[in-house]
Amino acid sequence: MTTGGVMEDRSEAASALDRLTERLDSVGAEQVRHGGRLNAFEDDLRGVHKNVVRLRGDVTEVRQEVSGLESAVSDTRKVLDAFIEQYSRDREVARAQAELARLTTVFHAEFAQRKQTRALARGLVHTLTAQAVRRKVVNTITVRSCVEERMLLEPTYWLAPAIMAVAANFRDETEQGERAQAHACTLDAAKANLFFALTSSRLGNEAEAAAWMDTYLQSLDPEELGQDFCVVLDAIANHELGEKALSYTRQAMVGWNQSTSRMPGTAQWSTRLRTMRREIADDEYTALRETCAAQWETLQYGWALATVPGRTLAYLQRQFPDGPDGPDRPVSDGRHVETALERLINQLEPDEAHLHEQMRRLERIVEHDGDLEAAAQAHEPLMGPEAEPVPFIELLDQAVFAPDTTPLGPAARRMALRAIWPTLETAAARAVTESQRRLPRHITLTVAGYSWALPTNSRRSIDPDPILADLAARLEQQTQARSDAVVRRWPRVCGVLLFGAATGALVVPFVDGVTRGLFFLLILAAAAWVLWEICGLPIRKRHVRERGDQLRHEAVTTLAQALQQQDEFFTAWHENMRDLAPLTRWAGTSNSPDQQQRNRTSMEGEGG
């Protein structure tokens, strides 16, 4: 290479180096510029971070303000709901007050006269008023004018002509009194008849009271008896209306019982009495139950039916400690008649009671500040459950078997008992008859597969010793037979020995490992069984003997208990059936021909 070429190469290298230096300088300058930009960007980021922190604080404050606003809205809503509820209550109170004012006006306009009519009726039926009229302390003209005014003001109210009839009696105006009585009965026959009966009794005329009471009883519907009848029945039972009224009422009650029974015959009272029977407990007569399982259900029910007369008598003696008739003549001060008369006079008519019921409901709304639910719960209807009509049969059932649910007193409950007594007696007799029908002549006791038929008649005593000895002998024979059957079973022994020998000679030499061990164990088990079969014969015989002895002991014990319980069971059965006679004697009906025939039938069946 020449000198000129070398110089050119150096010149080009220097030029390239200069260009590289310039580029490096430009890169450095760019880095400086970028560094400034990065610093500015970092400053901007710091500013943004500060803004974000400040914004977060603002958001937190806004959130707190929103939460406070929600709480304020919730409080406002509660206040608004309370206001709306109170407004609704105030509106209900205002409506109730307005309606109550209107109904009060209507009530006073339409029924205010009845209050004065009732007051006049209470005065006229008082014995002091009658005495004052007889002594001419009170002018009869005044009495007549008062009752005629009531009649003109209340022409459709039954009490107005009723008190006119009482006033006519004071004036000895028979014809006018009869017309007034007829008019009162036309308006409300039941109440008018009862009013005249009670008034006559209070004024001392028992014959007239009995006649009116008979008419009153005939006007009643036995399927719908009100509480008036219960109060009157107490008065009649306590002899406050005289003997004739008592006799009429007894006849009516007997007739109602026969005609209004809701079930055929005495089925209703039979059902009631059978619920009083004594059931056998699970721990009673366990041995007898076990040895006659096939017959036990029938025996158990028949035995329970036999307890009906005794249980019924015990219940009636608790409920009626003075007997079915009570004292010879109960002491009474007339308070039942007074109560019945006061109740009858004060009783609201249906239209009056309906309006009064509406007023009471509105008063409850006002008292509870418009709370309709609380007012409905606090409201008590005038016609409560105890004031609803009740069928006569149900009343009798309550009077005799559920005294806590009836308002009747002891004397009235005794009348109810007398009314249903013939059907109760017949129901008890039918229970005994069915019990006797279920009583078998013989009972079969089965123990350890052996059975004995034994009589059930309590008069025929059973000697248990021969039966127990027979069972023990049979079981001893059975045990001996089983013991004799235990012998050495040589075919099986030979078979097992042959199997063991064949296995040891033909199988064991050709196997190894676990299989050989299993076959060795099998051969040892076979050898052990053979030894037990040959040498364990006495042990097996003793085991069979012990089991037989245990079975014999248990069987004999069970049979002995069953024989004792059988005697007690059927003795109690017959004694319970004989309780029918004391039941009829308690009511004083044991000498009746029907009862004598029932007793003869029962005794003949028992003897058979």
Side-chain angles (χ1 to χ4, degrees):
M1 181 178 293
T2 62
T3 306
V6 172
M7 292 299 293
E8 287 179 1
D9 292 336
R10 290 180 179 178
S11 175
E12 289 177 0
S15 176
L17 183 61
D18 291 338
R19 287 194 300 272
L20 180 60
T21 302
E22 290 176 358
R23 287 185 180 179
L24 289 175
D25 291 340
S26 63
V27 170
E30 289 295 332
Q31 288 181 347
V32 172
R33 286 196 301 272
H34 282 296
R37 292 177 181 176
L38 287 174
N39 292 333
F41 184 69
E42 289 178 356
D43 293 339
D44 293 339
L45 285 178
R46 292 189 186 95
V48 171
H49 179 69
K50 292 179 180 179
N51 292 333
V52 169
V53 172
R54 185 171 59 255
L55 182 60
R56 183 180 299 171
D58 295 339
V59 170
T60 303
E61 293 178 359
V62 171
R63 184 178 298 169
Q64 292 176 353
E65 292 178 359
V66 170
S67 177
L69 182 60
E70 289 179 352
S71 177
V73 171
S74 178
D75 295 340
T76 304
R77 181 178 297 171
K78 291 180 180 178
V79 172
L80 182 60
D81 292 341
F83 173 78
I84 294 174
E85 182 180 359
Q86 186 62 40
Y87 175 75
S88 300
R89 289 189 177 186
D90 293 340
R91 184 176 57 182
E92 293 295 338
V93 171
R95 289 178 179 177
Q97 288 176 340
E99 183 66 11
L100 182 60
R102 186 186 70 82
L103 294 181
T104 303
T105 302
V106 173
F107 188 82
H108 285 293
E110 296 184 1
F111 306 115
Q113 298 297 330
R114 292 185 181 180
K115 184 176 181 181
Q116 300 178 13
T117 304
R118 293 186 179 103
L120 180 59
R122 283 191 292 268
L124 285 177
V125 300
H126 205 282
T127 55
L128 295 179
T129 302
Q131 295 173 5
V133 171
R134 293 191 187 98
R135 293 196 305 266
K136 297 183 179 181
V137 176
V138 177
N139 193 343
T140 56
I141 298 177
T142 303
V143 174
R144 179 175 183 177
S145 63
C146 290
V147 297
E148 287 181 351
E149 180 184 5
R150 292 294 98 204
M151 182 65 187
L152 293 174
L153 294 175
E154 291 286 349
T156 60
Y157 184 30
W158 69 270
L159 191 57
I163 60 176
M164 180 177 284
V166 176
N169 185 28
F170 289 157
R171 294 172 55 85
D172 295 329
E173 297 175 349
T174 305
E175 184 176 354
Q176 184 181 7
E178 291 177 353
R179 288 197 296 268
Q181 290 173 353
H183 184 55
C185 292
T186 301
L187 296 176
D188 195 325
K191 292 181 179 179
N193 292 329
L194 180 58
F195 177 80
F196 294 135
L198 297 175
T199 303
S200 301
S201 173
R202 195 168 190 180
L203 297 178
N205 192 341
E206 291 188 356
E208 186 175 353
W212 281 112
M213 182 54 61
D214 187 27
T215 307
Y216 166 71
L217 294 173
Q218 293 177 8
S219 67
L220 293 179
D221 181 6
E223 291 298 325
E224 294 185 358
L225 296 178
Q227 293 302 307
D228 289 336
F229 177 77
C230 296
V231 179
V232 173
L233 189 60
D234 275 324
I236 296 173
N238 286 276
H239 299 267
E240 294 184 9
L241 276 78
E243 292 295 334
K244 284 188 176 181
L246 179 62
S247 177
Y248 291 155
T249 306
R250 285 176 174 172
Q251 294 176 6
M253 291 175 67
V254 171
W256 289 345
N257 180 42
Q258 295 175 352
S259 63
T260 63
S261 182
R262 291 172 293 180
M263 297 183 182
T266 60
Q268 178 177 355
W269 304 117
S270 294
T271 302
R272 167 60 79 173
L273 292 188
R274 293 186 185 200
T275 58
M276 303 176 65
R277 66 181 183 267
R278 178 181 178 271
E279 298 290 349
I280 299 177
D282 293 338
D283 57 350
E284 289 185 290
Y285 303 111
T286 53
L288 182 62
R289 188 196 309 260
E290 179 183 351
T291 55
C292 62
Q295 298 175 277
W296 179 249
E297 185 175 352
T298 301
L299 295 175
Q300 184 180 19
Y301 186 69
W303 188 92
L305 284 179
T307 64
V308 167
R311 302 272 290 186
T312 302
L313 178 59
Y315 170 80
L316 294 177
Q317 287 176 339
R318 291 195 306 269
Q319 294 295 328
F320 304 95
D322 296 329
D325 297 320
D328 294 337
R329 180 77 178 188
V331 178
S332 179
D333 53 1
R335 60 183 178 88
H336 294 95
V337 168
E338 182 178 355
T339 301
L341 194 55
E342 188 69 19
R343 176 187 176 88
L344 182 62
I345 292 174
N346 292 333
Q347 194 173 84
L348 300 179
E349 294 301 292
D351 53 351
E352 189 178 3
H354 176 69
L355 189 59
H356 192 61
E357 182 74 17
Q358 291 180 329
M359 294 170 61
R360 283 168 54 87
R361 187 177 289 106
L362 294 172
E363 289 174 355
R364 295 293 177 270
I365 294 176
V366 175
E367 289 176 1
H368 290 80
D369 297 328
D371 190 346
L372 299 180
E373 184 177 354
Q377 293 178 355
H379 178 67
E380 296 180 359
L382 288 174
M383 291 292 292
E386 69 281 356
E388 295 179 357
V390 58
F392 177 68
I393 294 298
E394 184 176 344
L395 180 64
L396 293 180
D397 184 77
Q398 293 176 356
V400 178
F401 297 104
D404 295 337
T405 62
T406 180
L408 296 177
R413 291 180 56 231
R414 284 193 291 268
M415 282 190 65
L417 176 62
R418 274 300 183 189
I420 65 173
W421 181 256
T423 50
L424 285 183
E425 189 178 1
T426 303
R430 288 187 176 183
V432 171
T433 301
E434 184 175 353
S435 173
Q436 193 170 15
R437 182 173 57 83
R438 291 176 176 270
L439 177 62
R441 293 181 177 273
H442 296 85
I443 182 176
T444 302
L445 301 184
T446 302
V447 179
Y450 300 102
S451 301
W452 292 266
L454 304 176
T456 60
N457 195 330
S458 60
R459 297 177 180 177
R460 306 166 80 180
S461 60
I462 300 174
D463 187 4
D465 293 338
I467 300 175
L468 296 177
D470 181 41
L471 175 63
R474 292 185 180 185
L475 292 179
E476 177 63 26
Q477 294 176 359
Q478 178 179 328
T479 301
Q480 185 62 42
R482 291 179 178 176
S483 177
D484 294 341
V486 178
V487 295
R488 294 184 179 90
R489 291 164 288 192
W490 293 111
R492 293 187 181 183
V493 171
C494 295
V496 171
L497 289 175
L498 180 61
F499 170 79
T503 302
L506 301 178
V507 178
V508 174
F510 302 99
V511 296
D512 57 359
V514 178
T515 305
R516 177 176 292 183
L518 293 176
F519 276 103
F520 269 124
L521 291 176
L522 184 61
I523 293 172
L524 291 176
W529 184 85
V530 170
L531 291 176
W532 167 254
E533 187 69 22
I534 297 174
C535 303
L537 182 64
I539 299 176
R540 286 188 289 148
K541 285 181 173 290
R542 184 171 66 253
H543 180 66
V544 171
R545 171 65 62 180
E546 290 175 353
R547 289 182 58 188
D549 293 341
Q550 181 181 1
L551 175 63
R552 184 176 67 255
H553 175 73
E554 293 176 353
V556 170
T557 302
T558 301
L559 181 58
Q561 294 176 352
L563 291 173
Q564 180 181 359
Q565 293 176 6
Q566 184 259 358
D567 182 63
E568 297 173 355
F569 181 81
F570 289 104
T571 299
W573 192 331
H574 288 86
E575 290 177 352
N576 290 331
M577 288 193 298
R578 285 193 288 268
D579 286 338
L580 180 62
L583 177 64
T584 56
R585 284 198 301 268
W586 180 78
T589 60
S590 58
N591 295 325
S592 64
D594 293 341
Q595 182 57 35
Q596 290 178 359
Q597 179 63 30
R598 280 196 297 267
N599 289 340
R600 283 197 298 269
T601 303
S602 176
M603 294 301 294
E604 290 173 0
E606 183 180 343

